[in-house]
Amino acid sequence: MPATEYLTITNFEELKDRTFTVVSSEPPVVLKLVEVKKMGSGEREGGAFSVLWQGPSEPFLPQSIYRFSQAELGEHELFIVPVAEKTDGFQYESVFT
């Protein structure tokens, strides 16, 4: 399991449509990885990219750093930003540069 600073777009592409649990939220919140998008150059291996998660309507997660857990990826602290409200809940984005 790579450290957060060594996560690449490939790590997330392999997990598209899988669920992640925000374990630092009370109660824990399950988010589904719905999009992985390359963003051009960046300082990390493989360049910059973003990931988009779909979450429930409740609870809402404000912009912050959260501890995520995922079976294949392990636990990582990720900064997420709410970017959209859909009929089935909120979407959150993380950008890796």
Side-chain angles (χ1 to χ4, degrees):
M1 142 182 45
T4 302
E5 63 267 20
Y6 298 113
L7 290 173
T8 67
I9 191 169
T10 304
N11 296 120
F12 288 98
E13 286 173 332
E14 296 169 352
L15 300 173
K16 189 169 179 275
D17 297 322
R18 303 253 181 100
T19 60
F20 289 66
T21 302
V22 181
V23 295
S24 59
S25 168
E26 190 53 50
V29 178
V30 176
L31 304 179
K32 180 179 179 182
L33 181 61
V34 295
E35 181 181 275
V36 181
K37 183 169 57 175
K38 188 160 180 57
M39 296 180 63
S41 63
E43 294 190 19
R44 65 179 49 244
E45 181 183 328
F49 63 96
S50 69
V51 294
L52 186 71
W53 284 278
Q54 178 65 52
S57 296
E58 294 286 330
F60 170 76
L61 299 173
Q63 174 178 310
S64 190
I65 297 171
Y66 294 93
R67 179 160 286 279
F68 278 65
S69 179
Q70 201 285 330
E72 290 91 340
L73 204 56
E75 287 196 6
H76 294 278
E77 288 190 344
L78 302 175
F79 180 74
I80 62 170
V81 176
V83 293
E85 183 176 7
K86 303 288 184 180
T87 55
D88 54 347
F90 291 97
Q91 291 187 332
Y92 302 92
E93 182 180 42
S94 289
V95 176
F96 298 79
T97 58

XYZ file of all heavy atoms in Angstrom:
771
model
N 0.852 -1.171 0.000
C 0.000 0.000 0.000
C 0.902 1.240 0.000
O 1.689 1.443 0.908
C -0.921 -0.083 1.206
C -1.223 1.181 1.909
S -2.276 0.997 3.365
C -1.601 -0.389 4.217
N 0.788 2.079 -1.041
C 1.640 3.264 -1.121
C 1.227 4.340 -0.119
O 0.063 4.437 0.251
C 1.429 3.751 -2.561
C 0.108 3.196 -2.969
C -0.074 1.925 -2.190
N 2.220 5.125 0.311
C 1.918 6.272 1.167
C 1.126 7.280 0.344
O 1.208 7.298 -0.888
C 3.215 6.895 1.675
N 0.346 8.125 1.003
C -0.519 9.070 0.311
C 0.234 9.881 -0.734
O -0.254 10.071 -1.844
C -1.214 10.006 1.321
O -1.956 9.206 2.244
C -2.147 10.976 0.627
N 1.446 10.332 -0.415
C 2.186 11.166 -1.367
C 2.638 10.382 -2.597
O 3.026 10.971 -3.597
C 3.366 11.875 -0.696
C 4.428 10.939 -0.157
C 4.219 10.576 1.316
O 3.101 10.715 1.839
O 5.196 10.151 1.936
N 2.555 9.040 -2.549
C 2.962 8.220 -3.692
C 1.786 7.607 -4.442
O 1.989 6.804 -5.345
C 3.929 7.123 -3.234
C 5.199 7.688 -2.663
C 5.487 7.533 -1.311
C 6.083 8.413 -3.452
C 6.648 8.076 -0.766
C 7.236 8.962 -2.922
C 7.517 8.781 -1.574
O 8.653 9.327 -1.042
N 0.573 7.975 -4.092
C -0.588 7.484 -4.827
C -0.559 8.057 -6.243
O -0.218 9.218 -6.452
C -1.882 7.913 -4.137
C -2.186 7.252 -2.801
C -3.412 7.905 -2.157
C -2.401 5.761 -2.959
N -0.911 7.221 -7.219
C -0.923 7.653 -8.615
C -2.321 7.476 -9.190
O -3.192 6.836 -8.579
C 0.076 6.840 -9.460
O -0.383 5.483 -9.520
C 1.484 6.913 -8.887
N -2.511 7.995 -10.385
C -3.800 7.853 -11.061
C -4.141 6.378 -11.247
O -5.302 5.980 -11.128
C -3.811 8.623 -12.398
C -5.233 8.692 -12.957
C -2.818 8.036 -13.387
C -5.392 9.648 -14.133
N -3.132 5.552 -11.478
C -3.349 4.117 -11.667
C -3.966 3.474 -10.431
O -4.854 2.621 -10.543
C -2.027 3.413 -12.036
O -1.499 4.049 -13.201
C -2.236 1.937 -12.305
N -3.505 3.892 -9.236
C -4.082 3.352 -8.004
C -5.592 3.552 -7.971
O -6.336 2.658 -7.557
C -3.486 4.012 -6.764
C -2.013 3.755 -6.586
O -1.225 4.690 -6.553
N -1.623 2.508 -6.468
N -6.055 4.725 -8.409
C -7.478 5.028 -8.358
C -8.246 4.468 -9.554
O -9.394 4.055 -9.407
C -7.695 6.537 -8.225
C -7.324 7.061 -6.870
C -6.096 7.646 -6.641
C -8.206 6.958 -5.805
C -5.744 8.118 -5.390
C -7.875 7.425 -4.545
C -6.636 7.998 -4.342
N -7.635 4.445 -10.742
C -8.320 3.887 -11.912
C -8.730 2.447 -11.662
O -9.811 2.024 -12.086
C -7.423 3.973 -13.146
C -7.295 5.363 -13.694
C -6.274 5.466 -14.814
O -5.307 4.673 -14.846
O -6.442 6.366 -15.651
N -7.892 1.703 -10.966
C -8.194 0.301 -10.661
C -9.353 0.153 -9.682
O -9.913 -0.930 -9.540
C -6.945 -0.382 -10.095
C -5.808 -0.462 -11.088
C -4.484 -0.898 -10.477
O -4.390 -1.008 -9.226
O -3.542 -1.128 -11.244
N -9.722 1.235 -8.997
C -10.763 1.171 -7.967
C -12.046 1.912 -8.348
O -12.932 2.087 -7.516
C -10.213 1.732 -6.652
C -9.003 0.978 -6.099
C -8.422 1.711 -4.894
C -9.368 -0.448 -5.748
N -12.145 2.351 -9.616
C -13.352 3.051 -10.059
C -14.572 2.171 -9.816
O -14.533 0.966 -10.013
C -13.244 3.415 -11.541
C -14.361 4.317 -11.987
C -14.086 4.880 -13.358
C -15.221 5.751 -13.800
N -16.307 5.035 -14.428
N -15.634 2.779 -9.350
C -16.908 2.138 -9.015
C -16.860 1.333 -7.712
O -17.823 0.660 -7.374
C -17.431 1.249 -10.156
C -17.735 2.059 -11.399
O -18.241 3.190 -11.268
O -17.453 1.571 -12.522
N -15.775 1.438 -6.977
C -15.674 0.780 -5.669
C -15.989 1.800 -4.574
O -15.977 3.003 -4.788
C -14.272 0.216 -5.450
C -13.830 -0.754 -6.525
C -13.830 -2.183 -6.030
N -13.380 -3.087 -7.062
C -12.163 -3.591 -7.151
N -11.248 -3.280 -6.256
N -11.855 -4.413 -8.130
N -16.221 1.295 -3.379
C -16.547 2.184 -2.266
C -15.347 2.418 -1.364
O -14.479 1.561 -1.218
C -17.717 1.639 -1.428
O -17.365 0.366 -0.913
C -18.993 1.560 -2.258
N -15.330 3.613 -0.785
C -14.343 4.043 0.199
C -15.137 4.463 1.428
O -16.228 5.015 1.303
C -13.565 5.258 -0.308
C -12.603 4.980 -1.427
C -13.044 4.577 -2.677
C -11.243 5.147 -1.234
C -12.153 4.342 -3.708
C -10.346 4.919 -2.258
C -10.797 4.510 -3.498
N -14.591 4.247 2.602
C -15.258 4.667 3.828
C -14.471 5.797 4.467
O -13.264 5.681 4.679
C -15.379 3.498 4.826
O -16.092 2.434 4.193
C -16.127 3.929 6.079
N -15.158 6.892 4.741
C -14.554 8.010 5.464
C -14.671 7.652 6.937
O -15.723 7.817 7.551
C -15.256 9.344 5.136
C -14.601 10.484 5.883
C -15.238 9.595 3.636
N -13.577 7.111 7.487
C -13.608 6.591 8.850
C -13.431 7.674 9.904
O -13.735 7.446 11.079
C -12.573 5.459 9.058
C -12.934 4.254 8.202
C -11.165 5.921 8.773
N -12.957 8.851 9.504
C -12.769 9.932 10.484
C -14.041 10.754 10.678
O -14.074 11.672 11.480
C -11.603 10.835 10.069
O -11.851 11.401 8.794
N -15.087 10.424 9.936
C -16.380 11.088 10.087
C -17.193 10.312 11.116
O -17.071 9.104 11.244
C -17.097 11.097 8.737
O -18.431 11.479 8.876
N -18.047 11.011 11.848
C -18.912 10.350 12.819
C -20.362 10.642 12.479
O -20.797 11.779 12.621
C -18.585 10.824 14.226
C -19.260 10.040 15.321
C -19.045 8.529 15.240
O -17.917 8.065 15.114
O -20.060 7.808 15.309
N -21.130 9.697 11.978
C -20.755 8.309 11.732
C -19.898 8.196 10.463
O -19.893 9.116 9.643
C -22.107 7.620 11.540
C -22.959 8.669 10.928
C -22.524 9.965 11.582
N -19.201 7.075 10.267
C -18.440 6.872 9.035
C -19.372 6.989 7.817
O -20.548 6.628 7.888
C -17.890 5.454 9.177
C -17.843 5.232 10.660
C -19.039 5.961 11.203
N -18.836 7.508 6.718
C -19.620 7.736 5.498
C -19.009 6.923 4.364
O -17.793 6.934 4.181
C -19.630 9.235 5.127
C -20.390 9.472 3.835
C -20.222 10.063 6.250
N -19.854 6.242 3.602
C -19.398 5.468 2.451
C -19.563 6.312 1.194
O -20.640 6.847 0.923
C -20.187 4.141 2.327
C -19.775 3.391 1.062
C -19.963 3.283 3.560
N -18.458 6.437 0.431
C -18.451 7.171 -0.829
C -18.070 6.216 -1.950
O -17.219 5.343 -1.765
C -17.430 8.312 -0.791
C -17.549 9.346 0.327
C -16.432 10.378 0.204
C -18.903 10.021 0.305
N -18.667 6.398 -3.121
C -18.352 5.571 -4.288
C -17.475 6.376 -5.237
O -17.801 7.523 -5.584
C -19.636 5.149 -5.001
C -19.391 4.281 -6.221
C -20.705 3.886 -6.857
C -20.470 3.034 -8.096
N -21.735 2.683 -8.740
N -16.360 5.800 -5.666
C -15.461 6.454 -6.618
C -16.101 6.387 -7.998
O -16.283 5.305 -8.548
C -14.094 5.768 -6.619
C -13.044 6.361 -7.542
C -12.732 7.810 -7.186
C -11.775 5.526 -7.496
N -16.477 7.549 -8.559
C -17.217 7.566 -9.817
C -16.415 8.104 -10.994
O -16.800 7.889 -12.145
C -18.546 8.350 -9.680
C -19.490 7.648 -8.727
C -18.312 9.785 -9.259
N -15.302 8.806 -10.733
C -14.534 9.359 -11.844
C -13.076 9.549 -11.450
O -12.786 9.973 -10.333
C -15.117 10.715 -12.276
C -14.405 11.365 -13.428
C -15.028 12.706 -13.789
O -16.008 12.700 -14.556
O -14.542 13.727 -13.273
N -12.187 9.238 -12.381
C -10.754 9.479 -12.231
C -10.329 10.187 -13.507
O -10.551 9.667 -14.604
C -9.969 8.160 -12.052
C -8.490 8.445 -11.876
C -10.511 7.360 -10.873
N -9.741 11.391 -13.370
C -9.455 12.205 -14.554
C -8.030 12.757 -14.511
O -7.630 13.381 -13.532
C -10.470 13.346 -14.619
C -10.351 14.237 -15.825
C -11.524 15.181 -15.974
C -11.696 16.049 -14.748
N -12.750 17.058 -14.885
N -7.274 12.534 -15.601
C -5.931 13.078 -15.738
C -6.033 14.582 -15.932
O -6.926 15.067 -16.600
C -5.223 12.430 -16.920
C -3.766 12.799 -17.030
C -3.026 11.785 -17.865
C -1.567 12.098 -18.000
N -0.827 12.232 -16.773
N -5.105 15.331 -15.313
C -5.165 16.794 -15.375
C -3.892 17.425 -15.952
O -3.674 18.601 -15.789
C -5.411 17.357 -13.973
C -6.731 16.955 -13.394
S -6.999 17.628 -11.746
C -7.002 19.374 -12.075
N -3.039 16.661 -16.581
C -1.819 17.233 -17.147
C -0.629 16.994 -16.251
O -0.580 16.037 -15.488
N 0.335 17.893 -16.348
C 1.579 17.687 -15.600
C 1.398 18.024 -14.130
O 0.530 18.789 -13.741
C 2.700 18.536 -16.196
O 2.383 19.899 -16.083
N 2.246 17.435 -13.335
C 2.256 17.668 -11.902
C 3.551 17.121 -11.353
O 4.330 16.487 -12.064
N 3.807 17.351 -10.099
C 5.060 16.917 -9.509
C 5.064 15.446 -9.116
O 6.117 14.875 -8.895
C 5.407 17.791 -8.304
C 5.688 19.221 -8.716
C 6.258 20.053 -7.596
O 6.770 19.474 -6.617
O 6.185 21.270 -7.709
N 3.905 14.823 -9.031
C 3.870 13.416 -8.632
C 4.041 12.526 -9.855
O 3.782 12.947 -10.976
C 2.614 13.075 -7.850
C 1.328 13.188 -8.584
C 0.096 12.812 -7.750
N 0.040 13.443 -6.459
C 0.094 12.768 -5.294
N 0.148 11.476 -5.275
N 0.061 13.401 -4.150
N 4.477 11.293 -9.610
C 4.659 10.310 -10.680
C 3.361 10.141 -11.453
O 2.294 9.977 -10.870
C 5.067 8.975 -10.067
C 5.294 7.887 -11.091
C 5.633 6.559 -10.449
O 6.264 6.556 -9.370
O 5.258 5.530 -11.030
N 3.431 10.221 -12.767
C 2.247 10.059 -13.607
C 1.472 11.340 -13.829
O 0.490 11.349 -14.550
N 1.875 12.440 -13.208
C 1.211 13.723 -13.417
C 0.047 13.969 -12.479
O -0.279 13.160 -11.616
N -0.586 15.107 -12.681
C -1.707 15.533 -11.839
C -2.992 14.813 -12.263
O -3.158 14.456 -13.426
C -1.888 17.039 -11.944
N -3.885 14.612 -11.293
C -5.170 13.985 -11.584
C -6.171 14.360 -10.504
O -5.815 14.879 -9.451
C -5.029 12.455 -11.680
C -4.600 11.774 -10.407
C -5.534 11.222 -9.551
C -3.259 11.684 -10.061
C -5.148 10.588 -8.374
C -2.857 11.046 -8.898
C -3.798 10.495 -8.051
N -7.447 14.111 -10.818
C -8.495 14.330 -9.827
C -9.348 13.081 -9.722
O -9.414 12.275 -10.653
C -9.375 15.527 -10.204
O -10.144 15.229 -11.345
N -9.976 12.919 -8.563
C -10.906 11.816 -8.348
C -12.214 12.404 -7.814
O -12.206 13.404 -7.098
C -10.341 10.742 -7.385
C -9.140 10.055 -8.002
C -9.977 11.310 -6.050
N -13.306 11.787 -8.213
C -14.633 12.262 -7.829
C -15.394 11.127 -7.168
O -15.458 10.017 -7.704
C -15.390 12.749 -9.067
C -16.743 13.404 -8.831
C -16.572 14.777 -8.178
C -17.491 13.547 -10.155
N -15.939 11.431 -5.985
C -16.729 10.448 -5.243
C -18.177 10.896 -5.184
O -18.481 12.092 -5.089
C -16.248 10.338 -3.795
C -14.998 9.584 -3.612
C -14.836 8.221 -3.546
C -13.693 10.125 -3.423
N -13.529 7.902 -3.334
C -12.796 9.052 -3.259
C -13.182 11.421 -3.391
C -11.443 9.226 -3.062
C -11.837 11.600 -3.192
C -10.978 10.508 -3.038
N -19.100 9.932 -5.163
C -20.513 10.191 -4.920
C -20.831 9.741 -3.507
O -20.513 8.612 -3.128
C -21.390 9.425 -5.915
C -22.890 9.613 -5.697
C -23.329 11.044 -5.930
O -23.049 11.639 -6.960
N -24.021 11.624 -4.953
N -21.437 10.635 -2.742
C -21.823 10.318 -1.378
C -23.314 10.490 -1.176
O -24.034 10.938 -2.065
N -23.784 10.151 0.010
C -25.209 10.280 0.329
C -25.604 11.744 0.581
O -24.743 12.622 0.683
C -25.353 9.453 1.607
C -24.011 9.572 2.262
C -23.014 9.610 1.139
N -26.904 11.972 0.711
C -27.409 13.312 1.035
C -27.085 13.698 2.472
O -26.880 14.865 2.778
C -28.925 13.373 0.835
O -29.239 13.177 -0.509
N -27.063 12.713 3.351
C -26.753 12.925 4.769
C -25.763 11.878 5.231
O -25.921 10.721 4.858
C -28.031 12.811 5.620
C -29.045 13.887 5.366
C -28.658 15.229 5.957
O -27.965 15.245 6.987
O -29.035 16.251 5.377
N -24.782 12.204 5.982
C -24.403 13.552 6.377
C -23.587 14.232 5.278
O -22.956 13.574 4.448
C -23.537 13.315 7.616
C -22.877 12.009 7.364
C -23.903 11.189 6.601
N -23.600 15.549 5.296
C -22.792 16.358 4.388
C -21.389 16.471 4.974
O -21.229 16.692 6.175
C -23.422 17.749 4.249
C -22.542 18.734 3.535
C -22.402 18.667 2.160
C -21.870 19.716 4.237
C -21.592 19.572 1.493
C -21.060 20.626 3.586
C -20.920 20.559 2.208
N -20.373 16.329 4.151
C -18.984 16.471 4.598
C -18.431 17.807 4.104
O -18.275 17.995 2.899
C -18.125 15.322 4.049
C -18.520 13.918 4.464
C -17.694 12.882 3.707
C -18.360 13.742 5.964
N -18.147 18.750 4.999
C -17.560 20.017 4.551
C -16.117 19.811 4.081
O -15.479 18.802 4.406
C -17.608 20.900 5.796
C -17.775 19.982 6.949
C -18.381 18.717 6.433
N -15.623 20.760 3.317
C -14.240 20.722 2.840
C -13.287 20.512 4.005
O -13.318 21.253 4.985
C -13.938 22.045 2.150
C -12.508 22.235 1.731
C -12.322 23.560 1.023
O -13.062 23.882 0.100
N -11.351 24.343 1.461
N -12.449 19.479 3.911
C -11.528 19.172 4.995
C -10.648 17.988 4.612
O -10.832 17.373 3.562
C -12.303 18.841 6.276
O -11.422 18.765 7.381
N -9.726 17.639 5.501
C -8.925 16.429 5.369
C -9.627 15.336 6.169
O -9.971 15.532 7.338
C -7.497 16.639 5.903
C -6.778 17.699 5.068
C -6.726 15.322 5.898
C -5.438 18.125 5.649
N -9.843 14.183 5.514
C -10.507 13.053 6.149
C -9.647 11.801 5.987
O -8.895 11.675 5.019
C -11.880 12.784 5.504
C -12.879 13.880 5.721
C -13.019 14.909 4.785
C -13.681 13.905 6.851
C -13.940 15.928 4.983
C -14.605 14.917 7.056
C -14.733 15.927 6.118
O -15.641 16.939 6.313
N -9.816 10.870 6.916
C -9.142 9.576 6.806
C -10.078 8.637 6.052
O -11.195 8.373 6.482
C -8.797 8.999 8.169
C -8.106 7.634 8.038
C -7.326 7.248 9.259
N -6.086 7.974 9.402
C -4.949 7.682 8.751
N -4.910 6.714 7.887
N -3.865 8.373 8.980
N -9.590 8.155 4.896
C -10.324 7.225 4.042
C -9.781 5.825 4.244
O -8.574 5.640 4.418
C -10.120 7.584 2.567
C -10.998 8.689 2.059
C -10.881 9.981 2.545
C -11.920 8.449 1.061
C -11.672 11.000 2.061
C -12.714 9.465 0.563
C -12.596 10.744 1.066
N -10.650 4.844 4.161
C -10.240 3.444 4.208
C -10.853 2.737 3.006
O -12.029 2.950 2.674
C -10.727 2.801 5.510
O -10.348 1.450 5.555
N -10.030 1.909 2.362
C -10.492 1.134 1.213
C -9.727 -0.184 1.236
O -8.520 -0.199 1.465
C -10.246 1.914 -0.085
C -11.073 1.501 -1.277
C -10.618 0.205 -1.915
O -9.452 -0.139 -1.892
N -11.574 -0.535 -2.438
N -10.408 -1.296 1.022
C -9.814 -2.628 1.203
C -8.482 -2.798 0.470
O -7.500 -3.232 1.062
C -10.800 -3.709 0.772
N -8.424 -2.467 -0.816
C -7.193 -2.670 -1.583
C -6.155 -1.578 -1.344
O -4.956 -1.822 -1.454
C -7.478 -2.726 -3.098
C -8.202 -3.965 -3.540
C -9.714 -3.821 -3.548
O -10.269 -2.926 -2.878
O -10.355 -4.606 -4.233
N -6.594 -0.360 -1.030
C -5.687 0.788 -0.922
C -5.231 1.058 0.504
O -4.239 1.743 0.734
C -6.383 2.027 -1.492
C -5.524 3.167 -1.991
C -4.549 2.700 -3.054
C -6.398 4.277 -2.531
N -5.969 0.542 1.476
C -5.624 0.792 2.870
C -6.209 2.115 3.349
O -7.218 2.581 2.828
N -5.553 2.727 4.352
C -6.027 3.997 4.912
C -5.118 5.140 4.491
O -3.895 5.000 4.509
C -6.099 3.929 6.438
C -7.244 3.091 6.932
C -7.566 3.315 8.403
O -6.971 4.216 9.036
O -8.419 2.578 8.919
N -5.756 6.258 4.114
C -5.024 7.452 3.684
C -5.804 8.688 4.102
O -7.034 8.674 4.096
C -4.851 7.471 2.164
C -3.984 6.376 1.652
N -2.622 6.450 1.655
C -4.299 5.164 1.138
C -2.122 5.337 1.150
N -3.123 4.533 0.843
N -5.093 9.748 4.422
C -5.733 11.029 4.673
C -5.792 11.783 3.366
O -4.769 11.972 2.691
C -4.963 11.815 5.732
C -5.139 11.232 7.107
C -4.593 12.123 8.204
O -3.816 13.054 7.908
O -4.946 11.870 9.367
N -7.014 12.211 2.992
C -7.234 12.912 1.734
C -8.025 14.186 1.976
O -8.938 14.216 2.805
C -7.996 12.022 0.751
C -7.351 10.674 0.396
C -8.287 9.857 -0.479
C -6.009 10.889 -0.291
N -7.682 15.228 1.238
C -8.401 16.493 1.289
C -9.508 16.431 0.250
O -9.250 16.181 -0.930
C -7.441 17.648 0.978
C -8.091 19.000 1.004
C -8.445 19.584 2.204
C -8.336 19.690 -0.172
C -9.034 20.842 2.239
C -8.918 20.948 -0.144
C -9.270 21.523 1.062
N -10.746 16.619 0.682
C -11.879 16.603 -0.254
C -12.625 17.933 -0.200
O -12.644 18.624 0.816
C -12.852 15.435 -0.002
C -13.502 15.523 1.382
C -12.170 14.099 -0.219
C -14.656 14.531 1.580
N -13.233 18.242 -1.347
C -14.035 19.460 -1.494
C -15.387 19.054 -2.061
O -15.440 18.333 -3.062
C -13.344 20.450 -2.460
C -14.200 21.680 -2.694
C -11.972 20.838 -1.939
N -16.489 19.481 -1.439
C -17.792 19.220 -2.050
C -17.911 20.056 -3.327
O -17.625 21.255 -3.313
C -18.804 19.667 -0.988
C -18.044 20.531 -0.042
C -16.598 20.205 -0.174
N -18.288 19.408 -4.442
C -18.328 20.121 -5.723
C -19.700 20.146 -6.370
O -19.930 20.946 -7.284
C -17.286 19.556 -6.719
C -15.881 19.841 -6.230
C -17.484 18.078 -6.953
N -20.609 19.268 -5.952
C -21.939 19.252 -6.565
C -22.922 18.556 -5.642
O -22.555 17.690 -4.856
C -21.899 18.522 -7.907
N -24.183 18.956 -5.780
C -25.270 18.251 -5.094
C -26.159 17.657 -6.178
O -26.698 18.385 -7.018
C -26.069 19.189 -4.196
C -27.141 18.463 -3.419
C -27.893 19.363 -2.438
O -27.680 20.584 -2.452
O -28.699 18.819 -1.662
N -26.276 16.351 -6.185
C -27.104 15.623 -7.148
C -28.353 15.129 -6.433
O -28.464 15.216 -5.213
C -26.327 14.429 -7.726
C -25.018 14.798 -8.382
C -25.262 15.502 -9.681
C -23.942 15.778 -10.390
N -24.119 16.451 -11.637
N -29.281 14.564 -7.178
C -30.518 14.077 -6.556
C -30.256 12.965 -5.549
O -31.004 12.818 -4.591
C -31.504 13.563 -7.623
O -30.865 12.571 -8.415
C -32.003 14.689 -8.506
N -29.164 12.194 -5.757
C -28.874 11.092 -4.827
C -27.791 11.433 -3.810
O -27.303 10.548 -3.121
C -28.526 9.820 -5.591
C -27.399 10.011 -6.597
O -27.043 11.163 -6.900
O -26.874 8.998 -7.083
N -27.400 12.706 -3.700
C -26.440 13.095 -2.674
C -25.384 14.065 -3.167
O -25.537 14.698 -4.212
N -24.303 14.165 -2.403
C -23.237 15.111 -2.702
C -22.070 14.427 -3.398
O -21.778 13.252 -3.149
C -22.725 15.758 -1.402
C -23.721 16.671 -0.774
C -24.541 16.225 0.245
C -23.866 17.982 -1.211
C -25.472 17.063 0.830
C -24.796 18.824 -0.643
C -25.615 18.363 0.381
N -21.394 15.196 -4.257
C -20.161 14.731 -4.879
C -18.990 15.494 -4.288
O -19.100 16.696 -3.980
C -20.199 14.922 -6.398
C -21.197 14.006 -7.060
C -21.130 14.055 -8.563
O -20.760 15.064 -9.156
N -21.473 12.942 -9.196
N -17.881 14.785 -4.125
C -16.676 15.330 -3.511
C -15.485 15.067 -4.418
O -15.412 14.011 -5.065
C -16.418 14.669 -2.156
C -17.567 14.818 -1.188
C -18.559 13.852 -1.112
C -17.679 15.942 -0.388
C -19.621 13.990 -0.229
C -18.746 16.088 0.511
C -19.720 15.106 0.559
O -20.771 15.243 1.429
N -14.550 16.019 -4.464
C -13.385 15.883 -5.329
C -12.095 16.027 -4.530
O -12.021 16.832 -3.597
C -13.421 16.957 -6.418
C -12.275 16.862 -7.403
C -12.348 17.935 -8.475
O -12.656 19.096 -8.140
O -12.080 17.620 -9.644
N -11.094 15.241 -4.929
C -9.726 15.386 -4.462
C -8.853 15.629 -5.680
O -9.023 14.950 -6.694
C -9.232 14.126 -3.747
O -9.848 13.968 -2.509
N -7.919 16.560 -5.574
C -6.992 16.858 -6.672
C -5.584 16.523 -6.184
O -5.195 16.921 -5.089
C -7.097 18.333 -7.097
C -6.052 18.659 -8.163
C -8.497 18.643 -7.607
N -4.862 15.795 -7.004
C -3.494 15.384 -6.710
C -2.564 16.044 -7.715
O -2.710 15.838 -8.916
C -3.360 13.862 -6.805
C -4.221 13.112 -5.827
C -5.567 12.921 -6.061
C -3.667 12.616 -4.647
C -6.372 12.235 -5.159
C -4.460 11.928 -3.738
C -5.808 11.743 -3.990
N -1.625 16.871 -7.229
C -0.706 17.582 -8.133
C 0.735 17.242 -7.871
O 1.079 16.694 -6.871
C -0.887 19.092 -8.027
O -0.665 19.499 -6.675
C -2.258 19.529 -8.489
